[in-house]
Amino acid sequence: NHSLCRWVLCVSLLTVSACEAADPVTDLQLRSIPEIPVPGYLESILDPTFGTTITRITGVPGDSIIGANPSLEGVWSDIARHGYSKRSPWNCDQSLLLLGRHKGTPPMLFLDGQTYEPVFGRRASFTEARWHVSRPSHMVFIHHNTLGLWNVRTDAIDTLQVFDGYADLHIGPWEGNLSTDGRMIVLVGTHDQQTVAFAYNLHSKTQHPDLLLPGVDVDWASASASGKYIVVNGDWEGHNDQTQVYDLAGQPMGARWRSYGRPSHYDLTLDGEGEDVAVGVSKSAPDEGRVIMRRLRDGRVTVLTDGGYASHASTRNVGLPGWAFVTYQNLGPTFPPYWNEIVAVALAGGMVKRLAHLHAVRTDYEAESHAVPSPDGRRVLFASNWATPADSAGDGRPVATYVVRLPDH
């Protein structure tokens, strides 16, 4: 696949301009989804359409989990997957990979980040956690009103800060991230019986003022990639999936993004000029269904794709700036050409590279693929039920986890 090979060369150079010179045309041809057998556990297959390698990294439900740690016990669940498209399963050096939604024992399953062999399991003793940006054995966690570090290998806890008077604190919930440098985190919860969000500097251990959010049904809040902004997504006055951007003192940066889901299911990153941006699917006119990039400081919109109706975007590829990895969950017949695919979208525009078919039928939330790249952008993890029909309860099971690897040449 010469087109894909040229793209891999481009991402290794981290330059969109070189890519545009090699292959400036976005592929809008509809690609039929091939019917191919589900891979076996730790078996790799070649995607016959796009030429990438897909490896199944979770086992058959009911089979024993056997790993490098002899104390690891349990069996594979019929839901064995990662958390979400905006929560990186890989740690910073990619030595570990967390399956945070293994609906069995152990509930948190850590794999070798390269071979995918099970290493150890843990039970969650916190509300939420995110991988530390430079300490591969640690996650930053929040539990009730306590912020700390969790050593996943030793299971040791180090408390960083207790926020007296606060309750039900979250990193999001579920969709927030630390700034790219790991300096800033935004927590959302209640204080004096009011909904609040606030930024906390992990390096200086200083808390920024409460951002009061009266009358807002907060879906999630997050630090921006640079750590300069607080991003809040939610329901304002009955209008849902809207976004307001604030500075760290709680002052709004321009008008609220009042159009429904413009964008939605987005992730936060930096563009080529170092500006904080949101990248995701637009659910409102005039760019409905397309992937857009919206600048945080002033709300300026740039449309990045033509055709299709995207599902989730992920920019967890912190070591490969300039790209977003997008899940297209829909199977058709509307919104061609990206049917049930993972694609990479250049933030500079004019470049979409198609990586693999998902073979996923969205029967319920657990069956959503939520594709998320590795920190170096060379692999993409996703969940799939491999087109298993829904059962009497409406669920398509089992849901397993797969990794797409881009060619090395």
Side-chain angles (χ1 to χ4, degrees):
N1 187 320
H2 299 294
S3 175
L4 182 61
C5 291
R6 286 198 298 271
W7 179 73
V8 173
L9 173 62
C10 294
V11 297
S12 68
L13 296 174
L14 304 185
T15 56
V16 174
S17 58
C19 292
E20 291 174 338
D23 188 0
V25 180
T26 296
D27 179 5
L28 291 175
Q29 181 180 347
L30 178 63
R31 307 288 184 179
S32 60
I33 303 172
E35 293 186 8
I36 54 178
V38 59
Y41 176 46
L42 296 182
E43 178 184 342
S44 297
I45 62 171
L46 190 70
D47 184 295
T49 306
F50 302 111
T52 48
T53 300
I54 301 174
T55 302
R56 178 176 173 175
I57 67 169
T58 56
V60 176
D63 283 2
S64 296
I65 298 173
I66 302 173
N69 186 337
S71 65
L72 182 61
E73 296 179 354
V75 297
W76 289 106
S77 170
D78 64 352
I79 299 175
R81 55 164 298 163
H82 64 304
Y84 188 59
S85 53
K86 293 194 293 191
R87 299 203 300 271
S88 178
W90 277 279
N91 63 349
C92 59
D93 68 359
Q94 300 179 196
S95 59
L96 289 174
L97 188 158
L98 168 61
L99 298 180
R101 271 200 274 167
H102 181 244
K103 296 300 181 73
T105 301
M108 299 184 73
L109 183 58
F110 290 84
L111 312 182
D112 185 290
Q114 302 296 327
T115 68
Y116 314 122
E117 293 278 356
V119 181
F120 56 88
R122 294 283 183 257
R123 292 190 177 277
S125 56
F126 47 79
T127 308
E128 291 194 62
R130 302 291 184 272
W131 283 113
H132 195 281
V133 303
S134 61
R135 298 171 67 172
S137 294
H138 287 78
M139 300 188 82
V140 179
F141 76 87
I142 189 74
H143 189 57
H144 300 311
N145 66 344
T146 300
L147 181 71
L149 292 177
W150 175 41
N151 186 322
V152 301
R153 291 189 181 274
T154 66
D155 212 16
I157 294 295
D158 180 17
T159 298
L160 298 177
Q161 183 78 44
V162 177
F163 299 101
D164 291 328
Y166 292 82
D168 196 29
L169 291 176
H170 284 265
I171 311 170
W174 320 124
E175 298 189 41
N177 277 303
L178 283 70
S179 58
T180 301
D181 62 5
R183 174 177 50 91
M184 199 68 66
I185 191 171
V186 166
L187 302 176
V188 61
T190 59
H191 187 213
D192 292 335
Q193 298 183 331
Q194 297 186 79
T195 300
V196 300
F198 63 88
Y200 181 81
N201 190 315
L202 290 157
H203 291 182
S204 64
K205 296 186 177 180
T206 55
Q207 180 181 348
H208 289 262
D210 281 353
L211 167 61
L212 303 181
L213 297 166
V216 182
D217 183 4
V218 177
D219 187 11
W220 59 269
S222 181
S224 68
S226 72
K228 294 192 301 183
Y229 304 119
I230 299 171
V231 181
V232 180
N233 178 267
D235 183 326
W236 271 263
E237 301 165 350
H239 302 283
N240 70 333
D241 209 353
Q242 298 188 346
T243 294
Q244 178 71 66
V245 181
Y246 303 87
D247 65 17
L248 298 184
Q251 297 301 308
M253 301 294 298
R256 174 160 40 93
W257 304 348
R258 294 178 179 270
S259 297
Y260 166 65
R262 192 170 185 252
S264 183
H265 294 109
Y266 61 84
D267 204 352
L268 300 169
T269 187
L270 301 175
D271 68 9
E273 298 175 350
E275 291 269 10
D276 279 287
V277 293
V279 183
V281 57
S282 172
K283 294 187 174 181
S284 290
D287 34 45
E288 184 175 3
R290 286 151 178 78
V291 177
I292 66 171
M293 179 174 67
R294 194 153 190 174
R295 195 163 62 187
L296 297 193
R297 67 177 171 87
D298 60 5
R300 187 188 73 177
V301 172
T302 302
V303 180
L304 300 179
T305 59
D306 184 17
Y309 203 113
S311 300
H312 295 85
S314 180
T315 53
R316 297 303 90 205
N317 45 297
V318 294
L320 181 69
W323 295 87
F325 290 79
V326 181
T327 306
Y328 284 83
Q329 188 89 38
N330 58 298
L331 288 164
T334 56
F335 302 108
Y338 312 118
W339 287 357
N340 220 230
E341 294 180 28
I342 305 170
V343 308
V345 178
L347 303 188
M351 176 73 57
V352 175
K353 287 299 176 181
R354 303 164 72 168
L355 304 181
H357 277 120
L358 299 167
H359 303 279
V361 177
R362 182 173 48 201
T363 57
D364 64 336
Y365 186 77
E366 301 288 3
E368 292 188 10
S369 291
H370 300 157
V372 53
S374 58
D376 64 4
R378 299 307 304 269
R379 293 175 289 171
V380 187
L381 179 146
F382 67 98
S384 174
N385 56 13
W386 215 262
T388 302
D391 58 20
S392 58
D395 304 327
R397 300 289 185 267
V399 177
T401 301
Y402 302 84
V403 173
V404 183
R405 177 179 286 277
L406 279 61
D408 293 327
H409 56 281

